[in-house]
Amino acid sequence: MKIHPLEKLNIWRQSLVGQLLLRFWVCHIIFFTLIGAIQYTSLKNPLYQSVEQNLLSDYYAIRNSMGSWLSSSEFPPGRFSELRPGNFVAFYTSDYQLKSIVYSYGKANSTVPNLSRSQLQFDLAEKARSGGCFVFQDTDEQQYMLMVAPVVTNQLSVNSLPLEQNNDIQPYAGYALIGQPLAEQDLILSRNLRGYTFNAIIIILLSTFFTALVLQKPLEPLLNISSTARKIAAGRYDLRLPYMNTASEIQQLREALNHMLGQMENALNTERSAKNRMARFIADASHELRTPLTSIRGFLEILQRTGMADKETLDAAHQTMLIETERLIRLTEGLLTLNRIAQEEINSDHSEELNSGLHDVLPELMPLLAPLLKDRTFRFNGQDFRTIDDFVSEVLDTSQVLPLKPDELKQILYNLVNNAIQHTLSGGTIDILAKSENSRFILSVRDNGEGIPAEDVPHIFERFFQGDRSRSHGKGQGSGLGLAIVSELVSLRGGEIRVESTPGEGTSFTIFFPLVLVKNDSLMTQNN
């Protein structure tokens, strides 16, 4: 589609080059105008001062004869050699009547202005009292430099006093109007102004052309930025602005845009990953909820068909429904725990005490773990923990405090130990190790069980993930939320959890907390 020239002009005017050039023109016009005014004034003042000096010189040349020319019948000559070429003197009576005009002998540069009484636009007496020269423009728009001098009857007084004192002598016989045309001076000023204007226009045009060429290189990175931005808007979020050897401001813009693009890409990837996790979470949660509910529904239908006659069937159905109900409760509690952790992370409310010691948690945890351990060995820092009542005060260090709520530490230990029990055969060993090392507090749960396949290790902290990738619970496995809860709690409290596993040899879960964080939380508790 063809673009109208006015529209093209408007597009150019709104572009960065157009905006810069317009401001360039405005600045140059203001600059040349100021310089031109200064130059015009500096040339005009000397020219006009020279004319004023000429008028004064003419006045002193004829002032001895002015009184006799007005007070007697003696008339001045038509031309007077004392006057400069082009100058004239007009004699007026005291009632402003033009009596005669005297010209110079030289060639007049212009005609004498129409100085009849009706054309006078100034008061002769007032101009005579001021004693200065002034510029007059006649009806033909010709300019003259004029000076009015009084002509008095007392010739001696006039001759003996300077011009500025003659104004106070009364009575006046008349007035002498001495003038010089300014045509030559105006022509000089006009030529100078035209030449200056022409040169200024040429300079502006040339500087505009070269400035437009020079601006292309610095503005090229901006065009590249615009092109890259359009590609990014089309979905190429992996693009980045390359390094450009240009102005520091554009370099800062490039770095800021690249940083922003990186943040946008991370945000988009996070959002995409969150959507994928949410979809997987919904699918897994639906599966986990559907399995026990389907089982419970099936047994209810069996009971509805068979009634209460078969006690063995009734007991088996009740037992199965009880187990599935407990699974639903554990699943629901796990989901609620994860939601609580997420809400606490959003609110960032750490106003509660975040410290708990192993000496407080393990004694409460042992009664829950003992039925699960059966014939497995459970040790703390290398010592058998089955006889806790005998040496708990000696084994557990009261200074070992972690930045966790007591319920959170209990849940972490229970989930890790329960996970180790599920994957450790009878006669196996489960160890809890706690120590301070390299400015870190380290808490480990180890077993010598079946281990975790290498391909499953990166996924074990994902929600609903199970090592065998099945949804069966034949081995008494949970819902796949236990390790996810542990990871979320440790991350929420500023810690880190790692896993090391060798199939057939065992698995070790290690939690790290900065020792500064542990001490600060402990100190805060003591102060409270």
Side-chain angles (χ1 to χ4, degrees):
M1 184 179 64
K2 189 176 181 180
I3 303 177
H4 193 272
L6 291 179
E7 187 175 354
K8 287 184 179 180
L9 179 62
N10 187 52
I11 294 174
W12 176 86
R13 185 179 60 84
Q14 294 177 354
S15 66
L16 182 57
V17 174
Q19 292 290 321
L20 291 175
L21 288 180
L22 286 175
R23 285 161 174 76
F24 173 83
W25 289 337
V26 171
C27 293
H28 272 61
I29 290 173
I30 294 175
F31 172 78
F32 281 114
T33 301
L34 291 176
I35 297 299
I38 294 173
Q39 180 178 335
Y40 183 85
T41 303
S42 62
L43 179 62
K44 177 182 177 180
N45 289 339
L47 290 175
Y48 279 22
Q49 288 175 1
S50 176
V51 174
E52 292 179 7
Q53 293 298 325
N54 292 340
L55 294 180
L56 286 174
S57 176
D58 289 347
Y59 165 73
Y60 286 112
I62 64 173
R63 69 173 181 173
N64 294 331
S65 304
M66 290 191 305
S68 59
W69 289 343
L70 280 178
S71 59
S72 65
S73 59
E74 181 182 357
F75 291 100
R79 292 185 178 273
F80 196 69
S81 60
E82 299 296 332
L83 294 179
R84 294 181 181 274
N87 291 8
F88 63 91
V89 179
F91 292 97
Y92 287 84
T93 61
S94 58
D95 55 355
Y96 299 172
Q97 294 296 323
L98 180 62
K99 187 173 182 181
S100 62
I101 297 179
V102 178
Y103 303 94
S104 65
Y105 279 109
K107 181 179 179 182
N109 293 327
S110 62
T111 58
V112 178
N114 188 350
L115 295 176
S116 63
R117 181 176 182 180
S118 60
Q119 298 296 324
L120 284 178
Q121 299 177 7
F122 49 87
D123 187 283
L124 291 174
E126 181 180 352
K127 294 296 184 180
R129 283 192 296 270
S130 66
C133 299
F134 60 96
V135 177
F136 171 78
Q137 183 173 332
D138 64 5
T139 55
D140 296 329
E141 298 185 355
Q142 296 292 327
Q143 290 197 115
Y144 298 85
M145 180 73 73
L146 302 178
M147 184 186 72
V148 179
V151 180
V152 297
T153 55
N154 190 340
Q155 184 64 37
L156 293 177
S157 299
V158 173
N159 294 337
S160 61
L161 293 177
L163 174 64
E164 56 271 15
Q165 295 184 18
N166 287 345
N167 298 335
D168 297 329
I169 301 175
Q170 295 293 338
Y172 294 157
Y175 303 94
L177 179 63
I178 308 171
Q180 178 176 331
L182 298 176
E184 183 177 351
Q185 289 73 19
D186 290 343
L187 181 60
I188 294 174
L189 292 174
S190 177
R191 287 177 178 175
N192 181 268
L193 182 60
R194 285 196 300 268
Y196 177 82
T197 304
F198 176 79
N199 293 333
I201 293 174
I202 295 299
I203 292 174
I204 291 177
L205 292 178
L206 291 177
S207 58
T208 299
F209 174 76
F210 288 109
T211 302
L213 290 179
V214 171
L215 285 176
Q216 296 300 320
K217 186 64 176 178
L219 294 180
E220 184 177 350
L222 294 179
L223 299 178
N224 295 335
I225 291 175
S226 177
S227 176
T228 304
R230 283 193 292 269
K231 294 178 182 178
I232 294 172
R236 295 286 305 279
Y237 301 111
D238 59 324
L239 291 179
R240 295 294 182 271
L241 298 172
Y243 174 79
M244 295 169 286
N245 187 15
T246 182
S248 60
E249 291 81 2
I250 298 182
Q251 288 285 16
Q252 294 174 6
L253 175 62
R254 182 190 68 85
E255 294 174 1
L257 288 176
N258 281 341
H259 178 72
M260 181 190 69
L261 292 174
Q263 296 292 335
M264 286 177 56
E265 186 178 14
N266 292 337
L268 290 172
N269 291 337
T270 301
E271 181 183 2
R272 190 180 298 112
S273 177
K275 287 182 179 179
N276 294 335
R277 289 197 304 270
M278 179 61 68
R280 188 171 65 252
F281 171 78
I282 293 174
D284 292 340
S286 300
H287 184 91
E288 294 292 338
L289 291 171
R290 184 174 63 249
T291 300
L293 289 175
T294 302
S295 179
I296 293 173
R297 178 180 178 181
F299 279 100
L300 288 175
E301 290 176 350
I302 293 174
L303 291 177
Q304 187 178 23
R305 289 196 301 267
T306 60
M308 304 294 291
D310 190 351
K311 186 178 184 305
E312 183 178 353
T313 303
L314 180 61
D315 291 341
H318 284 169
Q319 182 67 24
T320 302
M321 286 190 292
L322 180 60
I323 293 174
E324 297 298 337
T325 302
E326 290 176 352
R327 285 177 56 194
L328 284 175
I329 292 174
R330 289 196 302 271
L331 178 61
T332 304
E333 288 177 347
L335 293 175
L336 290 175
T337 300
L338 288 172
N339 181 68
R340 177 182 61 80
I341 295 173
Q343 291 299 322
E344 185 169 354
E345 185 175 2
I346 293 174
N347 296 331
S348 299
D349 184 9
H350 293 169
S351 59
E352 301 182 41
E353 295 181 359
L354 296 180
N355 60 88
S356 56
L358 295 173
H359 61 283
D360 294 326
V361 173
L362 283 177
E364 298 178 2
L365 195 61
M366 278 305 301
L368 300 176
L369 296 176
L372 303 176
L373 288 170
K374 296 181 181 179
D375 59 348
R376 300 175 181 86
T377 300
F378 184 63
R379 298 185 300 185
F380 180 83
N381 283 347
Q383 300 191 37
D384 192 348
F385 219 91
R386 284 185 177 278
T387 57
I388 184 173
D389 295 333
D390 298 332
F391 60 88
V392 65
S393 60
E394 299 178 5
V395 176
L396 299 178
D397 187 356
T398 56
S399 65
Q400 293 176 337
V401 178
L402 286 81
L404 295 163
K405 299 177 184 177
D407 290 341
E408 294 174 349
L409 179 57
K410 185 185 298 183
Q411 187 166 27
I412 289 174
L413 289 174
Y414 178 84
N415 288 350
L416 291 178
V417 174
N418 185 39
N419 181 76
I421 292 172
Q422 293 179 11
H423 297 280
T424 303
L425 299 177
S426 298
T429 301
I430 298 172
D431 286 288
I432 295 181
L433 302 174
K435 61 179 179 179
S436 298
E437 182 181 282
N438 297 330
S439 302
R440 297 184 300 179
F441 185 84
I442 304 174
L443 178 65
S444 298
V445 177
R446 300 176 181 176
D447 64 69
N448 58 356
E450 61 189 27
I452 304 172
E455 64 270 14
D456 290 341
V457 171
H459 306 286
I460 60 174
F461 294 116
E462 295 179 2
R463 300 178 184 185
F464 298 112
F465 180 81
Q466 295 179 3
D468 58 2
R469 298 186 180 278
S470 67
R471 301 305 177 184
S472 65
H473 300 269
K475 293 184 179 181
Q477 294 177 348
S479 60
L481 294 178
L483 293 179
I485 292 174
V486 172
S487 177
E488 294 284 349
L489 284 174
V490 172
S491 177
L492 175 64
R493 301 310 179 192
E496 179 186 2
I497 184 169
R498 300 176 187 173
V499 59
E500 297 178 358
S501 181
T502 303
E505 297 182 8
T507 303
S508 173
F509 288 91
T510 306
I511 298 174
F512 302 90
F513 280 105
L515 202 57
V516 175
L517 179 61
V518 175
K519 291 182 178 179
N520 287 345
D521 286 321
S522 178
L523 180 61
M524 182 176 63
T525 304
Q526 294 176 8
N527 292 337
N528 291 338

